[in-house]
Amino acid sequence: MEPKRKQKFFLLVLAAIAASLAAGWYYLYSVQNSLWNKAVTDILEVTAQGRHALDTYVEKDQENLQFIVSGLEKESPEDGAAILERLRAASGTDALYVCVDLENRLAYTPQFDEGYPLQEAQTAVFEQLEGERGIREPFINDYSGVWTIGNYQRFAFADGTPGYAQKTQPLKEIAERFSLTFYGDTGFSYVVNQQGNIMIRSLHPNSNRTFQNLFDIIDLQGNDPQQVEGFRAALENGKRGAARFRYQQEDYVFCYVPMETIGGWYVVSIVPDRVIMEQADTIMQNSQIFFFIIVIGILVLTAFFLVSRDSARQVLKAEEKARRAAESANLAKSQFLSNMSHDIRTPMNAIVGMAKLASDHAAEPDKVKEYLKNISMSGQLLVGLINDILDLSKIESGKMALNNSTASLEQLMTELVNIIQPLVQQRKQAFEIRLHGIRHEILCFDSLRLNQVLLNLLSNATKFTPEEGEISVDVTETPSQKPDCAHFTFRVADSGIGMKPEFVKNLFESFTREKDSRVDQIEGSGLGMAITKMIVDMMGGEIRVESEPGRGTVFTVELDLQLACEDSELPPLPGLRLLVADDDPATCRSAESFLRELGVQADVTESGRAAVEKALAAHRQGRDYDLVLLDWKMPGVNGIQAVRAIRRETGCEVPVIIFSAYDWARIEREATEAGVTGFIQKPFFKSTLYRCILQYVLHKDLPAAVSSGEIKLAGKHILMAEDNELNQEITRELLESAGAEVEIVNNGKQCVERFARSAPGAFDLILMDVQMPVMNGYEAARQIRAMARADARTIPIFAITADAFAEDVEAAKQAGMNSHLAKPLDIPHMMREIQKYLHA
């Protein structure tokens, strides 16, 4: 047995070494190939830029020629002096204009004082030129004897005689101006036509001046005929790309880009392959060192029979390092902006939809108020997204900062449901949101970022789930291993089209969308999942995805959220009996647990019919429930039908509440007529049920801890500097509705003068716009702080401005301002800031 074990171990070591060498070779080959491809892409981009410069130059020449032609068209072919005058006025040191009378075979040029007759061969050259305008391939100038290039255009003189105008200049000047060089002057460029004929020859020392055709150079180097023919076909078909050929006893890369203004012409850049790879030597050397370290590690782990698991881990790390080394980190701003429509359209859809509903229900104030509330929430989310888009440097560098503050998980989920409702209803999808073991509602986290994560996942779920499909959100709280934290799991599942395994691997990369005919018509930037992953990572969490084509997708987000000091326990309620009916068992369990914690006895059932039977049985026993909670959408007997049956069979006035994750506006009238007392929205947290019982059972006002927290500013005198009349009106209305007295001035200078004339203590607060005529807000704040009076140094001054970047907040602080409020105004935040400084 012992020799067999040694032999088996020896074979295992050999296999490990072989596998390591193969993996290392593949890794190094992948790195080298990726770096080479990146370098070729850069050369193509520089070639394209050079092409663009030459295109622009040719277009300018054509425009100048057109200007001369427009003058020649007004002249008679008999008036040679006038023709020469126009040509002399346009010709420069190097450029020369020529005009030809094709009918009389006369040519005019500034070198002669009158037209000179053309020889038959010269006339034939002009007559054989194709089209109304174009550019001639390089030719030897009859007058100067140098190689020349020229733009030409046909026209008609004032009497209809056909004419020809041409602008020429030495080919050498074009070559000097538009020759490209690469990698320390080791690479150069040509301009060729589709047949490979060299039109403009680089002045670079490596440029071959003997051959007139690019393919003649390539053919003599012993290159593969199929590769040469592929290159020839690419030029003939107007393609853009790169090829690799032997030239001057070494490998060169040929990058070719077609010109736009001259059909059939190409800019071809030629760079030594060795120079390209020299740029990657350092990375390759480090990779080789890293590879040998991996081999040693694998051998050690093999001795402990762990080679298979640990080698896979090392290979994955190596692949990730290679991918990051080869990936470009600098995304163009214009491309980023154009692709962010995926993240903007969802809240915009909610705003437009809610505005339409508000218009349709203008005569119903309660509904309009609710719609406007939803519009406000969507608008706040949209403002957050726009701030991210504008702060490009922050996003592109991956340096977004979290704004952790005390926030309500209930408010977050409510806003999320309100935004996603119109999308779900439009596609007739089943939408369910469930809570599991929620013990903390008030936490410390970045609510905008978490909202953005969940909204990205849900908006994708609605888009990629067919009509009448199912979408669900499960929120679960469990104990956290981190101190003073709670662990939350957000699970977003759908029954949509799913994703292929190979796409799931790259799902969180920027600008990634699956190639599938079912999603080609669905808008999206390809940035949503990348941003989602980045935010989850910043929050110290983890995101996973499970998906199969045709079987839907499940996203799971794991986060540890810090507990907030404000998350105080709700006071217990008196002994009450409630009935809860929902066909979703998880919702029933959650509601029963919450009510039990509140000291309330709850009977739960999973159908409308069973709820009717329980209510009827309780009535017969003389023990009617204090409150009945019914889900709107239940199979068989739904919530409204159950209400009718309870009212009909019992005749009692027990409060009956309908709850749903959907907008109940369209059934509100029917529900009210059926005897429904009120509505609450899923998901309902413990605080939701608590407020519902206070309102509908105990008929009490909401406690201050859960009320709207309205701020009273009675007796407060506020000075506001704002040059926009609409902003003046909005802010005045908001503050005066809270009881404040508001005085408005139109610029910073008026604000300084009004404060100087006021008695000390006359104003409690100054709201200062920043961008104003005459004097801006920063200067006004500085002058007020410099005044020789006590209240000038203590009066709160708030900057109210559309300049919302971090540097703008710092500028306001440096000017002596106490707070920075960004437009569009977050009204609750503004009132909280006022309350903080005025103790309202």
Side-chain angles (χ1 to χ4, degrees):
M1 292 295 295
E2 190 64 29
K4 289 184 177 180
R5 288 184 179 177
K6 289 183 178 179
Q7 183 180 12
K8 185 177 181 180
F9 178 77
F10 181 71
L11 292 175
L12 182 61
V13 170
L14 288 179
I17 293 175
S20 300
L21 291 174
W25 176 85
Y26 173 76
Y27 163 72
L28 294 175
Y29 173 79
S30 300
V31 171
Q32 186 178 36
N33 191 54
S34 297
L35 293 171
W36 189 86
N37 288 334
K38 176 64 169 60
V40 170
T41 301
D42 292 341
I43 296 171
L44 273 172
E45 181 61 28
V46 175
T47 304
Q49 293 174 3
R51 181 279 316 269
H52 178 72
L54 183 54
D55 275 329
T56 302
Y57 182 80
V58 171
E59 287 179 354
K60 186 64 176 178
D61 268 4
Q62 290 174 345
E63 290 175 2
N64 292 339
L65 185 59
Q66 174 61 41
F67 177 76
I68 299 302
V69 166
S70 63
L72 292 174
E73 287 175 339
K74 301 175 182 179
E75 304 296 345
S76 168
E78 306 297 332
D79 192 353
I83 294 173
L84 286 170
E85 181 64 25
R86 290 188 180 275
L87 296 179
R88 290 192 182 101
S91 295
T93 304
D94 298 309
L96 178 66
Y97 286 90
V98 177
C99 176
V100 177
D101 179 349
L102 293 175
E103 185 174 292
N104 298 313
R105 298 189 176 185
L106 290 175
Y108 296 90
T109 178
Q111 278 86 354
F112 298 98
D113 294 331
E114 59 183 14
Y116 60 91
L118 295 173
Q119 299 178 7
E120 185 173 343
Q122 292 175 315
T123 305
V125 169
F126 294 133
E127 291 177 342
Q128 289 172 5
L129 294 174
E130 298 179 354
E132 291 297 320
R133 64 175 60 192
I135 187 168
R136 292 181 61 180
E137 293 189 356
F139 59 94
I140 296 179
N141 190 297
D142 294 335
Y143 178 77
S144 63
V146 300
W147 281 96
T148 307
I149 192 169
N151 283 294
Y152 67 87
Q153 181 173 339
R154 297 181 184 276
F155 69 97
F157 286 101
D159 62 356
T161 299
Y164 166 93
Q166 174 181 277
K167 178 187 177 183
T168 63
Q169 58 189 115
L171 186 60
K172 182 179 179 181
E173 180 189 341
I174 303 297
E176 289 177 348
R177 182 174 299 183
F178 295 103
S179 291
L180 303 177
T181 59
F182 304 87
Y183 293 102
D185 208 28
T186 58
F188 58 95
S189 64
Y190 288 126
V191 176
V192 304
N193 63 11
Q194 288 177 308
Q195 290 74 41
N197 295 324
I198 298 174
M199 302 290 101
I200 301 176
R201 190 184 307 274
S202 173
L203 301 180
H204 192 275
N206 289 344
S207 173
N208 193 303
R209 291 172 172 76
T210 304
F211 295 96
Q212 300 300 320
N213 187 282
L214 193 61
F215 291 103
D216 292 339
I217 299 174
I218 296 173
D219 288 340
L220 292 177
Q221 304 295 323
N223 290 293
D224 185 351
Q226 291 186 349
Q227 291 183 350
V228 175
E229 287 304 314
F231 181 39
R232 191 189 305 274
L235 295 186
E236 291 176 354
N237 295 319
K239 302 293 186 180
R240 163 181 169 155
R244 212 171 186 174
F245 295 115
R246 193 78 177 167
Y247 173 64
Q248 292 186 346
Q249 306 305 316
E250 65 174 315
D251 289 333
Y252 274 73
V253 176
F254 287 60
C255 294
Y256 48 94
V257 178
M259 292 190 62
E260 296 178 350
T261 56
I262 309 176
W265 284 28
Y266 282 80
V267 177
V268 181
S269 297
I270 304 176
V271 183
D273 189 70
R274 61 173 173 79
V275 177
I276 295 177
M277 293 314 299
E278 284 174 2
Q279 306 297 313
D281 280 349
T282 301
I283 296 177
M284 291 300 299
Q285 290 173 3
N286 291 338
S287 298
Q288 290 172 357
I289 295 172
F290 186 62
F291 164 66
F292 285 118
I293 293 174
I294 292 176
V295 172
I296 294 172
I298 291 175
L299 292 175
V300 174
L301 293 175
T302 302
F304 295 95
F305 301 97
L306 298 176
V307 59
S308 179
R309 181 185 62 186
D310 291 342
S311 63
R313 184 180 301 136
Q314 294 297 327
V315 170
L316 287 175
K317 288 181 179 179
E319 291 177 349
E320 176 64 13
K321 183 177 180 180
R323 183 189 69 80
R324 292 187 178 182
E327 185 181 46
S328 174
N330 186 20
L331 300 176
K333 294 183 180 180
S334 59
Q335 184 181 13
F336 183 85
L337 290 172
S338 66
N339 283 284
M340 277 303 293
S341 62
H342 169 79
D343 299 289
I344 295 177
R345 288 181 183 275
T346 299
M348 281 300 299
N349 182 74
I351 291 172
V352 173
M354 289 295 175
K356 177 64 168 59
L357 289 174
S359 177
D360 293 344
H361 298 272
E364 303 173 69
D366 291 340
K367 290 185 179 180
V368 171
K369 184 177 181 181
E370 185 66 25
Y371 295 142
L372 292 177
K373 176 184 175 183
N374 294 337
I375 290 174
S376 177
M377 289 187 294
S378 299
Q380 290 299 321
L381 176 60
L382 187 60
V383 169
L385 291 173
I386 292 173
N387 286 340
D388 285 345
I389 296 170
L390 295 178
D391 201 356
L392 282 172
S393 60
K394 177 177 64 178
I395 295 177
E396 290 175 350
S397 62
K399 295 181 180 179
M400 282 198 308
L402 293 175
N403 181 22
N404 292 325
S405 59
T406 302
S408 167
L409 188 62
E410 179 204 15
Q411 183 179 356
L412 172 74
M413 300 308 297
T414 300
E415 293 176 0
L416 192 68
V417 171
N418 288 335
I419 292 174
I420 215 68
Q421 273 180 357
L423 297 174
V424 171
Q425 292 180 355
Q426 181 180 2
R427 297 177 62 83
K428 302 177 182 178
Q429 295 163 335
F431 178 54
E432 193 70 40
I433 187 163
R434 297 179 285 262
L435 306 178
H436 308 273
I438 303 299
R439 293 291 176 267
H440 302 90
E441 298 181 27
I442 306 300
L443 301 147
C444 186
F445 62 96
D446 191 326
S447 60
L448 175 63
R449 299 300 179 203
L450 183 54
N451 191 318
Q452 188 175 352
V453 167
L454 297 177
L455 185 58
N456 276 340
L457 300 180
L458 273 174
S459 62
N460 278 341
T462 58
K463 287 190 294 186
F464 297 112
T465 300
E467 289 193 0
E468 300 183 355
E470 297 179 357
I471 300 171
S472 64
V473 180
D474 289 87
V475 184
T476 305
E477 179 182 346
T478 54
S480 174
Q481 296 182 354
K482 296 182 179 180
D484 299 322
C485 290
H487 186 79
F488 283 86
T489 302
F490 300 89
R491 183 178 183 273
V492 179
D494 64 64
S495 61
I497 62 177
M499 294 177 284
K500 300 174 184 176
E502 56 269 25
F503 177 73
V504 172
K505 296 178 182 178
N506 304 317
L507 177 63
F508 297 113
E509 294 181 4
S510 299
F511 305 112
T512 300
R513 296 196 68 195
E514 186 169 15
K515 299 300 182 182
D516 191 315
S517 59
R518 294 171 295 175
V519 302
D520 286 344
Q521 302 302 317
I522 298 176
E523 295 182 353
S525 67
L527 279 173
M529 288 297 99
I531 293 176
T532 296
K533 177 68 164 60
M534 180 176 62
I535 294 174
V536 172
D537 290 344
M538 290 174 59
M539 298 180 77
E542 178 186 357
I543 183 169
R544 302 187 302 275
V545 57
E546 304 168 43
S547 185
E548 291 184 31
R551 295 192 175 183
T553 303
V554 177
F555 283 95
T556 304
V557 177
E558 306 274 358
L559 292 172
D560 288 293
L561 302 182
Q562 186 177 355
L563 302 178
C565 299
E566 301 178 20
D567 191 16
S568 58
E569 285 292 326
L570 296 172
L573 295 169
L576 301 172
R577 294 179 65 245
L578 269 70
L579 174 62
V580 180
D582 193 318
D583 61 308
D584 180 58
T587 300
C588 289
R589 288 194 299 270
S590 177
E592 184 179 20
S593 175
F594 286 151
L595 291 170
R596 186 168 56 250
E597 292 173 8
L598 291 171
V600 175
Q601 178 185 347
D603 292 336
V604 297
T605 179
E606 296 181 9
S607 72
R609 187 177 302 279
V612 174
E613 293 173 354
K614 283 184 173 290
L616 182 57
H619 180 70
R620 288 172 179 168
Q621 297 171 6
R623 300 177 64 246
D624 286 318
Y625 289 104
D626 296 294
L627 180 66
V628 178
L629 299 171
L630 301 173
D631 185 28
W632 169 17
K633 293 188 175 183
M634 291 185 288
V637 177
N638 64 32
I640 296 178
Q641 293 170 336
V643 173
R644 289 196 181 99
I646 291 173
R647 296 301 190 203
R648 182 177 62 251
E649 299 295 334
T650 66
C652 65
E653 296 300 323
V654 57
V656 181
I657 305 300
I658 292 290
F659 57 85
S660 174
Y662 299 87
D663 181 14
W664 54 73
R666 56 193 178 93
I667 64 152
E668 185 172 1
R669 181 175 180 181
E670 178 187 3
T672 303
E673 293 175 350
V676 172
T677 310
F679 303 87
I680 59 174
Q681 180 173 285
K682 283 186 179 181
F684 42 73
F685 290 74
K686 188 193 327 184
S687 60
T688 312
L689 295 172
Y690 184 80
R691 293 195 298 270
C692 179
I693 293 172
L694 286 183
Q695 181 177 358
Y696 294 106
V697 180
L698 302 181
H699 305 290
K700 292 183 179 179
D701 295 332
L702 297 182
V706 294
S707 66
S708 62
E710 184 178 354
I711 299 173
K712 300 297 183 182
L713 299 178
K716 303 298 182 183
H717 193 183
I718 298 174
L719 176 61
M720 177 180 177
E722 170 65 67
D723 62 313
N724 183 281
E725 294 184 1
L726 184 58
N727 289 339
Q728 291 177 359
E729 181 180 353
I730 293 172
T731 311
R732 182 198 290 272
E733 287 288 338
L734 289 171
L735 296 174
E736 289 184 347
S737 64
E741 181 181 348
V742 181
E743 185 172 341
I744 295 177
V745 292
N746 295 316
N747 57 60
K749 182 179 180 181
Q750 292 180 4
C751 182
V752 172
E753 294 172 348
R754 180 65 186 92
F755 183 79
R757 293 195 309 269
S758 66
F763 292 106
D764 300 288
L765 172 69
I766 297 177
L767 300 179
M768 185 80 74
D769 186 23
V770 171
Q771 301 297 337
M772 292 183 292
V774 185
M775 181 185 292
N776 64 45
Y778 295 143
E779 181 60 27
R782 292 189 188 97
Q783 291 194 16
I784 290 174
R785 293 302 188 205
M787 291 183 182
R789 45 189 284 181
D791 61 340
R793 293 184 294 274
T794 60
I795 185 171
I797 303 177
F798 290 3
I800 298 184
T801 174
D803 299 329
F805 293 106
E807 55 268 28
D808 301 310
V809 177
E810 181 62 24
K813 181 180 179 181
Q814 294 298 324
M817 299 184 179
N818 302 87
S819 182
H820 179 281
L821 304 176
K823 296 178 182 177
L825 289 175
D826 180 344
I827 305 305
H829 174 67
M830 181 183 76
M831 299 306 285
R832 286 194 299 270
E833 283 292 286
I834 293 176
Q835 183 183 36
K836 180 170 69 174
Y837 283 93
L838 300 188
H839 307 290

